[in-house]
Amino acid sequence: MKFTEEQMKKFNEAESVEEAIALAKEEGLEVSEEEIGKYYNATHIPARGKEGELSDDELDSVAGGACAYSDGRQVVNSNYGCDHWEHHNCGGTIVRHIDFCDIWYTCSICQAGSVGHTMGTCESCKYCVVENGQWLCNYDANRK
């Protein structure tokens, strides 16, 4: 179903789901209340004081661009890399090699290495574990 620009403007100015449903009925739009509710919730940002301003809790949850598990550990993925990487076999640090167009990584202690990015990422870091299908970092400085 297509909506006119005027109908969309009215809908986008609605201050609640109930108001959006009432507007749809006024306009004679054939759309379910459930569909209106889903669209409204997907397109309207909850009020939070000054426009565009985040609360301290909201800011803490997004600062640094990382998600935190319920116990505060950073949620990562197998290809994530950080400055705290230590090889899970020996505790060595990452050494990056560049030769013309090739880049590869080795461990500073055991010299294990790889072309690409598996060495130096969570996949081979001693601090990272997989629990309940999620990669988690156990390094204290990465906790939220």
Side-chain angles (χ1 to χ4, degrees), residues 42-104:
T43 59
H44 287 72
I45 298 171
R48 43 163 87 104
K50 294 181 182 175
E51 188 175 332
E53 198 172 282
L54 298 174
S55 70
D56 288 341
D57 287 341
E58 290 172 314
L59 188 58
D60 285 344
S61 72
V62 298
C67 297
Y69 197 59
S70 59
D71 63 4
R73 289 181 292 171
Q74 185 176 358
V75 176
V76 293
N77 66 52
S78 63
N79 290 320
Y80 182 78
C82 74
D83 295 334
H84 309 294
W85 182 88
E86 289 184 34
H87 195 224
H88 59 81
N89 290 337
C90 66
T93 57
I94 192 73
V95 178
R96 181 177 178 189
H97 305 274
I98 302 172
D99 182 24
F100 192 56
C101 293
D102 292 330
I103 299 174
W104 71 98

Side-chain angles (χ1 to χ4, degrees), residues 2 4 8-9 12 19 34-35 54 69 74 86 90 101 105-107 111-112 114 125 128-129 134 139 144:
K2 283 196 156 198
T4 67
M8 288 306 296
K9 184 178 180 195
N12 289 328
E19 188 178 332
E34 183 181 349
E35 289 174 304
L54 298 174
Y69 197 59
Q74 185 176 358
E86 289 184 34
C90 66
C101 293
Y105 304 86
T106 59
C107 174
Q111 303 303 308
S114 69
C125 181
C128 292
V129 295
Q134 292 200 333
Y139 189 78
K144 290 239 174 213

Side-chain angles (χ1 to χ4, degrees), residues 2 6 24 33 40 42 57 63 69 87-88 121 123 135:
K2 283 196 156 198
E6 187 177 313
E33 289 183 9
Y40 181 89
D57 287 341
Y69 197 59
H87 195 224
H88 59 81
T121 63
E123 186 175 338
W135 282 88

Side-chain angles (χ1 to χ4, degrees), residues 1 19 116 131 138:
M1 164 173 274
E19 188 178 332
E131 291 178 14
N138 288 320

